[in-house]
Amino acid sequence: MTSRLLFLTVVSAGPLAGEVIVNSVDLPDIVDEVLLPDEYEEMGFYEPHAPPGKYTPAQISAALAAAGPDGKGYLESRTGRRFVGDEPTSFRTVIDPAGALVGVDYSGNPLDLQTWTSIGPDVTVDVSSQTRRERTSRDFVFREYVKADPPGPGNVDVSVWSTRLPTDVVDTNPQTLRYSPAAVPAFIPSSVVADALSGASPGDVVPLVSGYEVIPLATDIGSVERVVEAFNAQFGVDFIGDPNNYQTWIAITSNTIQVNVLLRQEEGRAFVDQALDYELVVPDATGEVILNPLTHRVVEVTDTTRNWSKTYSPAGVVPPEVTPGNAAVLAGKLGTGEAGMALHVIEDAVGDTEDVEQEDFDDHGAQQGIDYSGDPLDPGTWTALTSDDVVVDSFVEHTVTTERTANHEVRMIYREASDDPGTTGQVFLIENDVVGRDILQTTRSHLNAPLDPGNLPEGVTAEDVRRVLMWGDPGESVVVARLRETLPVSDYTTPLADIVDSNEWEFGVDFTGDPGDPQTWVATGPADVYIDIYHPVTRVRTFEEKVTNLVAIVPAGLPAPLLSEFSVMPSSFGRVMRVSWDPPYGMEFGVDAGSLESLVPGNHLFKSLGERLRFDHHVPAGLDRSFLRVVRR
């Protein structure tokens, strides 16, 4: 568990105004373990093609004798359990004002902590956050069988089976882009352009800057690896045809040739690994069309639907999850007919992620008939009409949208308007300005810059840099830190339909009036009735974020990196080994499970976005950490 103090920006409300202090605590993750249905993988052979030395004649005879109607005599069956996914499913945030009351201790929207301003002394708000993860596993059952060689002339019998490796899928796309001074992208500093032009001659192509980015996309399926097993069948002895193409084989003996084909495919998170070199074309008055190669751009979108509800408890009754002491403090501040927020609970569930691709080009404002001639939809046909160069960027724009649902549950405490049992209660209409749909769009650009060891970024120490460099090879350039500069582009709201919530008070029982007009509602008994009227809006915010990768060269003589964590954990599905490590941004890693991968050999690939990576694996008792090894890819 970790905790931290945050201070909200305070607008002074007087000489004694304090601060709103947020005491933030990160609670340990909650892990839900899910066992998926078994997946069966079979491979077999005909009796004459038994793997040498693997099975005795007696074992083969016994298996054939026990064969079922399909003729398969099973010789071996083994099961291995593998983790196939570990993803966050929801985030729970609890905002506890610790008895503070709006209008007394702070001003602002009680449902939006960012708007709070202390009225008097400091206001301390406890905020706890917890992530819920779903860890999925699957039992892979591998079975090997033998079949009796069928009578008659020999033939070639091909069996195809497939499996998928739970691993990241990475596409690399290094490119060099050229620009005229008038078309240099805005995120490249003008001083860099001026330095490049200084001393250059017309027609020169000089380097500007470099950039590196890792673009995370939705889940994808990678390329297929084909593995062929022909059980020692020999060309010219058992078959003729193209030895490298089993589909052309023809048996030349009475024995059937068994061919097993394994299709091994990667499936997991998809990334585009893109390194870009930017160059400047110094104008020479010839007027050329510069066509840049295809690159990738991404717009990350988080589309959150926010649902709001309140539960009301009378003073003296402690709402669920509220600390009794805090409830008593809040109740003591309430006047008759008043209500205050005791707790705000947010359950933010992660939904599906969709990647929508669209090919497009950017002509940097060039106009047909003025700057160029040709088909405006086909830059390959363009010819410059002036002495100025025309630059065209071709790109695939990925709009990666993640859907989320945030349920806001607010615990309220209220004090009756009157304690006299003979007095009719009141209907209180509470107006709430809330965000019903929250759309956040971010477009990023990446540049590389050398790390200045004497001027490290805030929060980065020399030891942090050393630990990152340990993962690289001597002479390799490694991203050791990143600086972010986020600029707001737009922020606008669109009203949605109002929502009237009676909070479980029942019309016709607890209150009455015109059903369509809350202003006419009156209580029918001695109890007060709280009606919440929500005024939701759709809020759309767009940002441009400039990321500067600080790069250092790996020196010789550094020791090998150490794993950040290695642990053995109990699990409802058996013993689990976990290895975790803190890799540099952009590096690829595999976890070699050694003999643990009895079904599908090979590494599990992980792409680093600069966060801690971890790998879990079910293992039998008696195996130690030497069976798990993190390696560079």
Side-chain angles (χ1 to χ4, degrees), residues 134-155:
E134 183 177 87
R135 184 184 301 147
T136 53
S137 304
R138 189 189 299 275
D139 281 340
F140 290 82
V141 183
F142 172 79
R143 298 190 295 197
E144 192 167 34
Y145 62 86
V146 61
K147 294 180 72 173
D149 199 21
N155 58 71

Side-chain angles (χ1 to χ4, degrees), residues 156 230 233-243 249-253 257:
V156 179
Q234 297 183 38
F235 173 71
V237 177
D238 301 294
F239 68 91
I240 59 174
D242 182 355
W249 292 2
I250 300 174
I252 56 177
T253 72
I257 296 175

Side-chain angles (χ1 to χ4, degrees), residues 4-286:
R4 54 190 183 276
L5 292 178
L6 304 177
F7 295 83
L8 297 182
T9 302
V10 176
V11 178
S12 177
L16 299 179
E19 296 178 313
V20 175
I21 302 173
V22 178
N23 181 23
S24 183
V25 177
D26 295 324
L27 301 176
D29 291 356
I30 298 175
V31 179
D32 297 319
E33 294 186 337
V34 178
L35 184 62
L36 302 175
D38 294 352
E39 183 169 306
Y40 290 87
E41 300 168 348
E42 290 189 349
M43 64 183 299
F45 54 85
Y46 286 96
E47 184 177 2
H49 299 288
K54 186 172 184 180
Y55 303 107
T56 66
Q59 289 175 315
I60 293 176
S61 297
L64 289 173
D70 57 3
K72 296 179 180 179
Y74 288 97
L75 288 156
E76 180 182 4
S77 178
R78 63 183 186 271
T79 301
R81 181 166 291 168
R82 291 205 304 266
F83 285 104
V84 295
D86 187 350
E87 299 293 336
T89 56
S90 65
F91 305 91
R92 179 180 173 86
T93 304
V94 178
I95 302 172
D96 185 352
L101 178 62
V102 63
V104 175
D105 303 292
Y106 66 91
S107 61
N109 182 352
L111 304 182
D112 185 356
L113 180 59
Q114 298 300 319
T115 67
W116 291 14
T117 301
S118 174
I119 295 176
D122 292 345
V123 175
T124 300
V125 184
D126 295 324
V127 178
S128 63
S129 302
Q130 189 169 41
T131 300
R132 194 178 197 102
R133 310 180 68 86
E134 183 177 87
R135 184 184 301 147
T136 53
S137 304
R138 189 189 299 275
D139 281 340
F140 290 82
V141 183
F142 172 79
R143 298 190 295 197
E144 192 167 34
Y145 62 86
V146 61
K147 294 180 72 173
D149 199 21
N155 58 71
V156 179
D157 187 1
V158 179
S159 297
V160 180
W161 54 291
S162 63
T163 189
R164 288 183 178 175
L165 296 174
T167 181
D168 290 344
V169 181
V170 181
D171 175 30
T172 58
N173 186 53
Q175 298 288 6
T176 298
L177 308 179
R178 294 183 173 181
Y179 294 95
S180 66
V184 171
F187 58 83
I188 296 179
S190 57
S191 58
V192 173
V193 179
D195 290 343
L197 287 172
S198 177
S201 301
D204 285 351
V205 178
V206 294
L208 275 176
V209 294
S210 61
Y212 174 65
E213 59 185 322
V214 178
I215 302 174
L217 306 176
T219 300
D220 200 359
I221 296 175
S223 59
V224 176
E225 178 188 4
R226 187 183 303 270
V227 180
V228 179
E229 171 61 64
F231 299 100
N232 297 316
Q234 297 183 38
F235 173 71
V237 177
D238 301 294
F239 68 91
I240 59 174
D242 182 355
N244 297 318
N245 184 358
Y246 61 85
Q247 295 176 331
T248 68
W249 292 2
I250 300 174
I252 56 177
T253 72
S254 60
N255 295 327
T256 296
I257 296 175
Q258 176 69 26
V259 179
N260 286 325
V261 181
L262 167 62
L263 305 179
R264 190 181 295 156
Q265 193 170 40
E266 297 175 340
E267 179 180 34
R269 297 187 304 171
F271 296 91
V272 175
D273 195 344
Q274 183 167 257
L276 301 176
D277 288 321
Y278 299 91
E279 297 180 341
L280 184 69
V281 179
V282 181
D284 60 1
T286 59

Side-chain angles (χ1 to χ4, degrees), residues 555-579:
L558 291 179
L562 299 176
L563 299 180
S564 303
E565 176 185 324
F566 194 98
S567 58
V568 179
M569 305 172 294
S571 165
S572 59
F573 299 146
R575 185 167 174 259
V576 175
M577 280 188 178
R578 165 175 293 173
V579 60

